[in-house]
Amino acid sequence: MDAFGSLLQGFAVALTWYNVGMMMIGIVLGIIVGVLPGLGGPNGVAILLPLTYTMEPTSAIIMLSCIYWGTLFAGAITSILFNIPGETHSVATTFDGYPLAQQGRAGEALTAAFTGSFLGAFVAVLLITFLAPLVAKFALKFGPPEFFAVYLLTFCSFVGTGKDAFKTIISMMLGFGLAAIGMDTVSGDLRMTFGWSELLRGVDFLIVVIGLFGLGEILISMEEGLAFEGKSAKLNAKVVLETWKKLPKYWLTIARSSVIGCWMGITPGGATAASFMGYGIAKRFSRDGDKFGTGLLEGVIAPETAAHASGTSALLPMLALGIPGSATAAVLLGGLMIWGLQPGPLLFVEQKDFVWGLIASMYLSNIAGLIVVLTTVPLFAAILRIPFSIIAPVIIVVCAIGAYTVHGAMLDIWFMVLFGVVGYVLKKLDYPLAPLVLSLVLGDKAENAFRQTMLGSKGNLDIFWSNPLVGSITALALLMLFWPAISFAWRKLRQLV
Amino acid sequence: MEQHDKRAAASRGGFSQRTAETITAIVFFLIGVVMIVDNYTLGAGWAKDGPQAGYFPLRIGAIICIASVVVLLQSLYGKNRSTKAFVTGERFKLVLRMFVPTIAYVLAIQLAGIYVASVLFIGAFMRLMGHYSWLKSLVVSISVTVMLFWMFEVQFLVPLPKGPLEALFGY
C-alpha cells in the first residue's frame, strides 16, 4: 500500500531524538497554554511561531502541532476539575465531568476523557493517513476556478455555524479586509495604507490572533472575576486501569463521536460544534439518556472523543488542500508559508518528508500526550491555582513579546493591544472569531485564485459553472451560504401547513 | 432582574448590550464605507488583464456595509434584542484595572525596553491588585523576567526591545 510505505518513511523522519524531544516540549507547553486563561490553541501557537523561523520546518510543525494536541487535552482538565472550560470545545465536557468530580470521581472522569480523546484522535489520524493523499491527488487536477470554488465553499459553510449568520459574515469580511491591507502582490498598488508607511507590509495575522485571543480573553476573565476553586485531581494507576476496564462497553458512543468529530473537522464545523453534537447524540441514543448531566462517564467520553477527532481531522484539508478546518489549523497554515512551504496538494508531491513526518508524529504524539496527561494532571491543575494577579500580567508580557518577535516592530505591540480591545467587544457581542482568523490567513490566496480565474475567463463569471466539478462545488457553496435562510423558510412553511 | 441590571448599568455609567450592538454595527458600517471609498479611488473595475487591485476589497467593504445594516436593524427592532447590561460600571472598573496598566506597560516598553518594563508591570500589578508584599512581588517579577531574558536573548537569540539599562550591561 502506497500510504503505508510513505507512513513508515514518515516514522523514520519523526523518530529522531530531536523530534521526539520537540514533541514532548510541544505537548507540555500545549497543556500549560491550554490550562491558563487567556492562552489557547490559536494564540499559543502564534506566540511560539516566531521562535521556529530558523528551525527545520518538519521539527517546527511537529512541535507546533503538539502544542495543538496539548491544548485539546488541557480543555478536559479545566472542565472536569474547575468547571471552567478552558476552550470552547470543552464546554460540553463540563456537563458530566464536573458532577463526577464533585462526587469524588475526578480521576475516573479524567481518565475517560483522555482515553476518549486519544481514541477520537487516533481515528482521525487513520483517516488523514489514508484519505489525505487521495484528496491531494484528486486536487492536483484543480485549476484556479476549482480552488476558488473550494475556498468559497469553506467560507460559506462557516456562515451557518454561528449564532447569527450576519455577525459571522461581518467577522469573516473584516478578516478579508485586514488581509488586503498593504502592498497588493499582483499589481504593486498600495491598498488601504492611508499614506502610512508602517502599513506597507500589512497587518500580520499572528498579531491579530495574539490580540484577539490573548489580551481579549484576559480582559474577559478579569471582568468575570474568575476564582479558581478546583476539585483535587487524584489519578493513580489503579483508577486508570479500573476506568479502562469500563470503557469497552462504550465502544458505540466512541465510534459515533469519532465519526461526528471527523466529519465536523473536515468540513469547518469545528471542534466546539462537534463536541456538542457528540454529547447530544450520545444522550439521545443512550439507555441512560435521562441521567446525562448528573455525572455519567459516557457524557464525558462522547464530547471529548468528538472534539479531539474534529480537532485532529481539521488538519486533513489543511494538508491536502491548503485550507484549514479550524482557527489553530489556520495559524499552522500561516506557519507553513512563513517556513517557505507552499500549502496545497503539491505538498504531498514536493515535501514528502515534511507531510509524512507530520502524520507519523501525530500517531506518536497522541500516545505521548496520553501518557503525559495521565501522569502529570495534578501538576497542571496546580498551575490553575496560581492567583490571577500573578498569572494575568505574566500572560500579557508573553503576549507583548509574542507580538514583537513577529517582525521586531514596536508598532505591532500597539496593534496587539488594539485587537485585544476588539476581541473583548466582539466576544461579548457573540461575533465568532474563528472566521476572522480563517479569512485573514486565506484572504490573499482566495483573492489570487479569483484573479487568476478571471484572467483565464476574461472576466466571465460563467467559468464557475464551466465543468461538472467546479459547478457542483460552487452550487454546494451557495447552498451552504443560504442554508440559514433555507432552513428558516422551511420551518415557516411547515408551520403554515 | 434584567430591568434592575439595566437601571443599575445606567446609574453607574455602564451601558446596555443593545447600545453596544448598535455602536459596533455603526463602526463596522463606517469601516465598510472607508474600504469602499479607498478602493474605489484605487480602481475597482476591470483592467485589460483582469480585476484591478481594488476590485476584491471594494466588494468586501460592500458586504460589510450590508451585513452591518442588518445587525443594526436587529439590535434596534429585533425580537430578541437584549436589554441586559453590556458591562456594569463595577465590572468595567475591573476591566480598566487590567487595561490601563497594560497601556502603561506598552508605553514603558517604548521608553525603557521590555525587560525593565516587565519587572515594573508584574511587580506593580502583584503589589497593587494582589496585595502581595513588596519582597514577594519583586522576587516573582524579577525571576520571571530573568527567565524570559535567558530564553529569548540567550537561547533563541531573538532580540527584544531594550533600553538604557541593558546598554549598561553591554546588550
Side-chain angles (χ1 to χ4, degrees):
Chain A
M1 231 174 153
D2 195 26
F4 194 70
S6 311
L7 184 64
L8 283 181
Q9 233 171 10
F11 273 110
V13 176
L15 265 178
T16 62
W17 281 114
Y18 183 69
N19 285 344
V20 172
M22 282 297 141
M23 234 178 260
M24 287 312 222
I25 294 176
I27 286 172
V28 173
L29 275 176
I31 302 172
I32 295 176
V33 158
V35 166
L36 290 173
L39 293 174
N43 64 335
V45 174
I47 288 172
L48 288 161
L49 215 145
L51 295 183
T52 64
Y53 285 173
T54 52
M55 272 164 79
E56 216 255 312
T58 314
S59 308
I61 188 95
I62 287 178
M63 188 182 95
L64 293 181
S65 62
C66 283
I67 292 177
Y68 184 30
W69 314 141
T71 58
L72 284 171
F73 274 118
I77 302 179
T78 56
S79 301
I80 292 171
L81 295 180
F82 295 86
N83 203 17
I84 298 165
E87 316 270 327
T88 47
H89 61 72
S90 47
V91 172
T93 313
T94 60
F95 299 161
D96 276 276
Y98 190 65
L100 273 170
Q102 280 177 317
Q103 296 160 22
R105 292 166 66 196
E108 274 176 66
L110 286 168
T111 311
F114 295 149
T115 317
S117 308
F118 170 76
L119 294 171
F122 193 78
V123 172
V125 179
L126 278 179
L127 190 74
I128 292 180
T129 310
F130 295 104
L131 188 61
L134 298 180
V135 175
K137 206 170 172 186
F138 181 65
L140 276 178
K141 296 192 199 98
F142 283 13
E146 283 83 3
F147 264 112
F148 182 74
V150 173
Y151 285 126
L152 192 68
L153 176 61
T154 313
F155 291 118
C156 291
S157 50
F158 252 107
V159 171
T161 59
K163 271 190 197 147
D164 184 338
F166 290 100
K167 285 185 174 173
T168 311
I169 291 175
I170 291 181
S171 161
M172 195 181 288
M173 293 304 140
L174 287 176
F176 276 119
L178 285 168
I181 292 176
M183 195 186 299
D184 172 29
T185 44
V186 180
S187 64
D189 286 330
L190 298 182
R191 300 198 289 197
M192 293 180 280
T193 57
F194 310 105
W196 200 14
S197 62
E198 293 264 16
L199 277 180
L200 272 182
R201 62 165 181 266
V203 180
D204 201 288
F205 73 98
L206 292 170
I207 311 292
V208 178
V209 169
I210 295 171
L212 287 181
F213 293 86
L215 184 59
E217 199 72 33
I218 285 282
L219 291 176
I220 287 191
S221 319
M222 191 74 190
E223 186 195 323
E224 285 164 358
L226 283 189
F228 298 113
E229 283 172 40
K231 301 286 160 199
S232 70
K234 283 198 201 95
L235 201 59
N236 50 40
K238 203 173 139 234
V239 177
V240 172
L241 288 175
E242 268 174 17
T243 315
W244 278 354
K245 265 188 219 151
K246 291 183 199 160
L247 288 183
K249 73 173 177 193
Y250 300 123
W251 68 273
L252 193 61
T253 308
I254 294 172
R256 250 186 330 239
S257 283
S258 302
V259 173
I260 295 169
C262 287
W263 172 250
M264 301 292 269
I266 295 171
T267 62
T272 309
S275 61
F276 277 104
M277 212 166 142
Y279 186 86
I281 289 193
K283 187 175 171 174
R284 193 176 306 159
F285 285 98
S286 169
R287 254 177 294 152
D288 307 320
D290 50 327
K291 286 191 208 134
F292 266 62
T294 58
L296 283 190
L297 277 185
E298 208 178 346
V300 174
I301 297 169
E304 278 295 311
T305 309
H308 253 224
S310 150
T312 309
S313 54
L315 292 196
L316 195 158
M318 183 198 102
L319 281 174
L321 299 170
I323 293 168
S326 73
T328 314
V331 180
L332 285 174
L333 184 90
L336 293 190
M337 298 188 227
I338 290 172
W339 301 318
L341 301 177
Q342 197 55 44
L346 270 177
L347 212 56
F348 272 86
V349 182
E350 288 171 349
Q351 303 286 345
K352 271 200 152 99
D353 277 1
F354 174 83
V355 172
W356 288 103
L358 171 62
I359 294 177
S361 86
M362 291 183 195
Y363 286 94
L364 298 172
S365 55
N366 268 299
I367 297 171
L370 183 66
I371 296 169
V372 169
V373 283
L374 281 178
T375 48
T376 56
V377 163
L379 211 71
F380 293 112
I383 292 178
L384 254 184
R385 292 197 177 84
I386 300 176
F388 194 70
S389 50
I390 301 178
I391 280 293
V394 172
I395 290 172
I396 289 186
V397 168
V398 170
C399 288
I401 292 177
Y404 182 82
T405 47
V406 176
H407 292 295
M410 189 60 216
L411 185 73
D412 284 344
I413 304 185
W414 286 112
F415 272 140
M416 187 274 289
V417 174
L418 174 73
F419 283 106
V421 177
V422 173
Y424 169 75
V425 175
L426 293 192
K427 200 138 192 204
K428 290 217 66 169
L429 294 178
D430 277 335
Y431 282 86
L433 297 179
L436 196 160
V437 176
L438 192 78
S439 58
L440 178 53
V441 173
L442 287 182
D444 283 342
K445 293 172 71 70
E447 188 186 342
N448 283 343
F450 179 75
R451 282 182 170 181
Q452 280 165 11
T453 310
M454 290 299 111
L455 226 71
S457 74
K458 306 208 163 47
N460 193 344
L461 286 173
D462 287 348
I463 190 162
F464 292 115
W465 308 94
S466 61
N467 66 52
L469 179 63
V470 69
S472 48
I473 303 176
T474 312
L476 195 59
L478 292 179
L479 182 72
M480 295 303 269
L481 176 63
F482 292 110
W483 187 251
I486 295 170
S487 68
F488 178 75
W490 177 245
R491 257 181 288 134
K492 285 275 162 201
L493 205 70
R494 292 227 352 216
Q495 275 170 8
L496 286 177
V497 178
Chain B
M1 184 63 205
E2 278 187 355
Q3 271 295 312
H4 173 76
D5 264 4
K6 192 184 176 187
R7 244 181 294 128
S11 65
R12 282 185 225 131
F15 50 99
S16 72
Q17 184 96 16
R18 191 175 148 197
T19 321
E21 290 269 14
T22 312
I23 295 174
T24 43
I26 293 172
V27 170
F28 288 144
F29 183 80
L30 292 178
I31 290 176
V33 170
V34 169
M35 283 175 75
I36 292 174
V37 171
D38 188 78
N39 286 294
Y40 182 77
T41 45
L42 191 63
W46 289 89
K48 282 192 301 278
D49 55 348
Q52 284 177 304
Y55 182 89
F56 205 73
L58 179 121
R59 278 148 185 81
I60 298 289
I63 299 175
I64 292 184
C65 284
I66 297 168
S68 60
V69 167
V70 177
V71 173
L72 181 70
L73 292 177
Q74 273 174 353
S75 76
L76 290 177
Y77 307 108
K79 243 184 280 168
N80 30 5
R81 60 175 187 262
S82 163
T83 50
K84 13 179 245 260
F86 174 69
V87 55
T88 57
E90 227 158 276
R91 290 287 173 91
F92 192 60
K93 258 185 220 153
L94 283 174
V95 177
L96 282 184
R97 268 200 210 167
M98 187 80 245
F99 187 65
V100 172
T102 303
I103 296 286
Y105 169 59
V106 181
L107 271 176
I109 297 176
Q110 216 149 14
L111 299 173
I114 205 160
Y115 297 108
V116 176
S118 300
V119 170
L120 291 176
F121 177 54
I122 300 173
F125 198 90
M126 280 178 68
R127 174 79 193 127
L128 299 175
M129 308 289 164
H131 306 292
Y132 288 93
S133 69
W134 276 113
L135 186 71
K136 235 184 195 173
S137 308
L138 275 179
V139 169
V140 172
S141 65
I142 291 178
S143 47
V144 167
T145 309
V146 167
M147 221 176 71
L148 289 173
F149 184 85
W150 176 79
M151 190 171 153
F152 285 91
E153 306 282 336
V154 182
Q155 284 298 309
F156 284 96
L157 298 174
V158 178
L160 294 180
K162 284 180 281 288
L165 184 72
E166 287 90 345
L168 274 182
F169 291 105
Y171 266 94

